[in-house]
Amino acid sequence: MFKNCGAFFIKRSGLRFPKVYRAYLAEYIDYVLQSGRNIEFFIEGTRSRSGKVLPPKFGILKYICESFLNGSVRNALIVPLTINYENVVEVGQLINEWFGRTKKKESLGQLIRALGIVNAEFGDIFLKVGRPLPLSFFMQKVEGKPFEVQLEALADEVGTQLQRNVLVMNTTLISALMLLNQSDMTFAKFMRQLETLQECVSAFGGKVNKNSEDELVLRSFRFFEFIEVDRVRKMIVLKGKMNTANVFKMLYYRNFAFHLFVKDALFVLIVKSGLAGSPAKVSEIDKIHKLVADLLSEESYRLSLDGAPLLEHFQHNALGIFETIECAEGPTVN
Amino acid sequence: MNTNGERALFVVDLLSSFVKPIIESYAVTFDSVLEAMLSGEIEVSVSQFESRIFSTLHRMAKEGLIDSLESCSMIFIKNALRTLQVN
């Protein structure tokens, strides 16, 4: 069925002759491009199990670049597409993997059983079409550099656009606030925090779902079966103690906004910890940041790539949040 | 938020909640690796090791010794061990 729709399968492991297989795949992609067809592929290479944005993989992108560089095609237009679901239908299966259970292999039976998905409620789904990137134009910009560097720059450009276009959905907003509070809340308190969180998302370079008015956010609680919205008492109530699976579910959703906050969160933690001195020295903050960023390289894509000094980054973002912010002059932060 | 101060504290708490538990869990994972190395226990299988860290993190989260369950997942532990180049 998939093949008839034009899909082609890629073996990622267990190859007997990997070089032959890759050459065959490159040839096939070259043929598809030459015949003027579109190729849709997932640049992260797999589904993110944690909800965090994954670093781009170079595979298919490499073959496309090679087709362009060897003159098989005159140009190729790369269009980054970001899709966000309010309710991720396989969240239960992903959480199983958080517990260390292995992923079940897909089968025909599973596909048939999965047809029930069409009746599932997904909430809002957003598709953002990013700025198209003509390969001929991009390759001119990086001309003369080694192929690996060109490829990395291209993947980075696409990855950055994808990350920038992630829409923060209501399930993410709810998860961030419920994880922070971990208790029942009045509507009033929740709404106050929600407003500040939405401002934070915008100030830190993210986008909030336009359907995030108070009532619609309250409606999105239906995706969390362990939380009740009590409209009579105007309370958000946790049904019993949150178990690990429930916490994992909220962490998964909250991680969709992880990339927005991680850099500034590191800044705040370093300053608060006193490790960079009191008041904190900017040079020390940078040193510690580099160490921690290396340590967290598996957790966040582009954590240490951005050259903007951490303080500057934080000031730029935080000025959008705090009406007044006082920064000490000189190389220290109070 | 009633005041700017309250707002600022909330934002600081919010930002911290994203990263602090991860760093704490990295520290626990790092400690476990170090402990195993110092005790000469270098032949334990990675999966056993992962399970052991998983249990340690969950116990510590239950006892309130770490902030939340944020990084008590196998996905996190695998990432942490990869970063620490345990194989």
Side-chain angles (χ1 to χ4, degrees):
Chain A
M1 198 164 74
F2 283 118
K3 274 182 184 167
N4 284 337
C5 292
F8 52 94
F9 296 94
I10 294 177
K11 274 195 167 189
R12 292 185 293 184
S13 56
L15 298 168
R16 267 184 86 188
F17 304 104
K19 280 186 181 169
V20 177
Y21 180 77
R22 282 185 206 123
Y24 167 75
L25 187 60
E27 196 61 37
Y28 184 72
I29 288 171
D30 190 61
Y31 160 75
V32 175
L33 290 175
Q34 278 191 55
S35 54
R37 294 193 179 98
N38 296 319
I39 300 177
E40 181 198 17
F41 66 98
F42 298 86
I43 199 166
E44 290 169 298
T46 184
R47 280 175 300 172
S48 165
R49 264 60 180 175
S50 64
K52 293 170 190 164
V53 180
L54 298 175
K57 294 269 191 303
F58 299 159
I60 305 284
L61 209 55
K62 181 175 163 233
Y63 300 136
I64 295 171
C65 286
E66 280 172 352
S67 286
F68 171 75
L69 291 173
N70 69 24
S72 287
V73 288
R74 277 190 300 150
N75 201 358
L77 206 58
I78 296 172
V79 186
L81 295 175
T82 308
I83 309 171
N84 293 119
Y85 294 88
E86 189 175 17
N87 180 29
V88 177
V89 80
E90 74 269 35
V91 67
Q93 185 204 317
L94 296 174
I95 286 165
N96 270 337
E97 291 182 45
W98 283 42
F99 281 105
R101 292 163 202 148
T102 47
K103 181 186 164 235
K104 274 187 194 160
K105 216 175 166 197
E106 283 90 0
S107 63
L108 183 65
Q110 204 186 353
L111 180 70
I112 293 165
R113 280 193 298 277
L115 288 176
I117 285 175
V118 290
N119 295 321
E121 196 192 350
F122 292 89
D124 288 335
I125 301 172
F126 280 88
L127 172 72
K128 170 82 182 172
V129 182
R131 190 166 38 86
L133 195 65
L135 207 50
S136 57
F137 173 74
F138 186 84
M139 285 307 195
Q140 256 177 15
K141 278 205 308 188
V142 290
E143 204 175 359
K145 292 185 176 163
F147 180 59
E148 287 72 25
V149 177
Q150 292 178 332
L151 190 62
E152 204 171 313
L154 177 63
D156 193 43
E157 175 84 26
V158 178
T160 305
Q161 266 213 60
L162 291 174
Q163 212 174 51
R164 208 178 291 141
N165 291 335
V166 169
L167 199 73
V168 177
M169 309 296 274
N170 292 343
T171 37
T172 299
L173 298 171
I174 288 172
S175 297
L177 294 182
M178 292 312 289
L179 283 168
L180 191 61
N181 291 279
Q182 305 234 353
S183 61
D184 299 351
M185 291 168 88
T186 60
F187 278 10
K189 185 180 177 186
F190 179 81
M191 293 308 170
R192 274 201 307 272
Q193 291 192 358
L194 179 68
E195 193 188 330
T196 310
L197 175 57
Q198 286 168 332
E199 281 175 38
C200 282
V201 169
S202 303
F204 286 57
K207 294 178 182 74
V208 184
N209 178 1
K210 280 185 186 142
N211 286 344
S212 60
E213 292 97 17
D214 297 354
E215 182 51 36
L216 289 165
V217 174
L218 287 180
R219 277 192 55 209
S220 297
F221 271 100
R222 69 191 184 282
F223 299 118
F224 300 94
E225 59 289 351
F226 47 92
I227 305 174
E228 185 188 339
V229 175
D230 184 339
R231 289 176 187 275
V232 179
R233 290 193 299 146
K234 294 196 171 347
M235 289 283 291
I236 291 158
V237 184
L238 291 172
K239 295 182 197 166
K241 205 169 170 261
M242 271 200 283
N243 63 30
T244 310
N246 295 340
V247 174
F248 279 180
K249 181 173 176 175
M250 289 201 283
L251 286 168
Y252 173 79
Y253 281 115
R254 194 189 67 170
N255 279 344
F256 292 147
F258 184 79
H259 63 282
L260 286 177
F261 297 127
V262 61
K263 209 174 282 182
D264 296 298
L266 272 181
F267 175 84
V268 164
L269 274 179
I270 295 168
V271 173
K272 256 178 77 181
S273 70
L275 289 171
S278 183
K281 286 185 185 146
V282 172
S283 59
E284 288 301 308
I285 296 173
D286 270 345
K287 258 190 239 167
I288 299 170
H289 173 251
K290 277 193 186 88
L291 275 175
V292 185
D294 277 348
L295 195 67
L296 300 185
S297 57
E298 290 279 344
E299 297 296 320
S300 182
Y301 165 54
R302 296 189 91 249
L303 189 57
S304 52
L305 278 179
D306 196 331
L310 215 51
L311 171 61
E312 219 173 273
H313 193 273
F314 181 73
Q315 278 179 307
H316 172 77
N317 286 337
L319 276 172
I321 299 295
F322 305 117
E323 282 167 29
T324 55
I325 182 166
E326 286 175 20
C327 280
E329 290 295 325
T332 59
V333 181
N334 281 316
Chain B
M1 308 297 123
N2 296 330
T3 63
N4 272 346
E6 240 180 274
R7 231 163 95 88
L9 279 178
F10 170 76
V11 174
V12 167
D13 282 347
L14 177 78
L15 289 176
S16 301
S17 74
F18 271 84
V19 166
K20 192 176 168 216
I22 299 182
I23 294 179
E24 283 178 342
S25 302
Y26 258 95
V28 174
T29 311
F30 190 69
D31 269 356
S32 304
V33 174
L34 207 60
E35 203 178 292
M37 282 167 68
L38 290 175
S39 67
E41 191 188 14
I42 50 173
E43 285 294 319
V44 66
S45 75
V46 173
S47 61
Q48 273 179 309
F49 203 54
E50 285 168 355
S51 306
R52 193 192 301 171
I53 297 170
F54 188 79
S55 314
T56 309
L57 284 166
H58 276 258
R59 181 177 49 76
M60 289 179 79
K62 255 186 200 163
E63 290 170 3
L65 296 172
I66 53 176
D67 250 12
S68 80
L69 289 167
E70 161 84 49
S71 313
C72 303
S73 77
M74 223 29 134
I75 306 280
F76 164 79
I77 293 164
K78 282 177 195 291
N79 277 349
L81 290 178
R82 203 177 305 134
T83 310
L84 297 171
Q85 295 180 351
V86 173
N87 49 39

